[in-house]
Amino acid sequence: MAVNTRASAFLQALQLIERKGWCFVAPNHKISYSVGLWAHCQMPEIAIMGLPDDSAYEVALATVTYGNERGGLYPGLVIPGAARGRNVRIRIIERRKVLAEFLGLARLYYEGILETPLTTIPIYQVEWPDSAGRYSDHAQYCATTQQRP
């Protein structure tokens, strides 16, 4: 049963990638991510951590739309209003090898179909500020007061 569910999800993702160039996968509330942005849109894949599926999808869509309008995504880019009216920012994921273990569908797509190691694909994280408007690289950033959408 689990194999059929995974196979079905993978086929649905492939169909979306074929139609739109990318898809967004939200397997749990811990991490959601894009698949196909790098291969078809020349934009880094994005990961969003800690949001419910619908919120994560809204943030991803706003982020990708903003990136398309501005010529791409890059570390430090602030996307105004992307998270239910709140700003978010793009940052590089430092531990990509560890993260790659959680991106099952992306791994299947890049390594299984495109024969490209997932660890060579740029993956950026979408982050939101703390209650004082500080991002994770600020010395006084407080993760416990993040303004999650």
Side-chain angles (χ1 to χ4, degrees), residues 51-83:
L51 291 183
D53 300 354
D54 60 336
S55 295
Y57 177 73
E58 287 176 24
V59 172
L61 189 57
T63 299
V64 171
T65 300
Y66 191 83
N68 280 332
E69 293 169 354
R70 302 295 188 287
L73 300 173
Y74 54 87
L77 176 67
V78 173
I79 298 134

Side-chain angles (χ1 to χ4, degrees), residues 102-122:
F102 296 99
L103 307 180
L105 200 136
R107 179 178 293 277
L108 268 173
Y109 180 70
Y110 280 104
E111 295 180 3
I113 292 178
L114 301 183
E115 298 179 353
T116 304
L118 185 59
T119 55
T120 65
I121 305 300

Side-chain angles (χ1 to χ4, degrees), residues 12-22:
Q12 287 176 342
L14 287 176
Q15 290 169 348
L16 277 171
I17 293 168
E18 187 176 307
R19 279 197 329 266
K20 298 186 177 198
W22 69 288

Side-chain angles (χ1 to χ4, degrees), residues 4-96:
N4 289 338
T5 303
R6 286 183 185 161
S8 175
F10 187 59
L11 289 174
Q12 287 176 342
L14 287 176
Q15 290 169 348
L16 277 171
I17 293 168
E18 187 176 307
R19 279 197 329 266
K20 298 186 177 198
W22 69 288
C23 73
F24 191 69
V25 181
N28 58 54
H29 297 308
K30 294 179 181 173
I31 185 166
S32 305
Y33 54 92
S34 64
V35 180
L37 283 175
W38 182 249
H40 302 284
C41 304
Q42 293 71 51
M43 192 178 301
E45 300 296 343
I46 57 172
I48 300 173
M49 297 168 198
L51 291 183
D53 300 354
D54 60 336
S55 295
Y57 177 73
E58 287 176 24
V59 172
L61 189 57
T63 299
V64 171
T65 300
Y66 191 83
N68 280 332
E69 293 169 354
R70 302 295 188 287
L73 300 173
Y74 54 87
L77 176 67
V78 173
I79 298 134
R84 296 190 177 169
R86 298 185 190 123
N87 295 351
V88 297
R89 187 176 76 166
I90 301 296
R91 77 177 196 150
I92 292 176
I93 296 177
E94 301 296 332
R95 300 180 62 188
R96 284 187 36 231

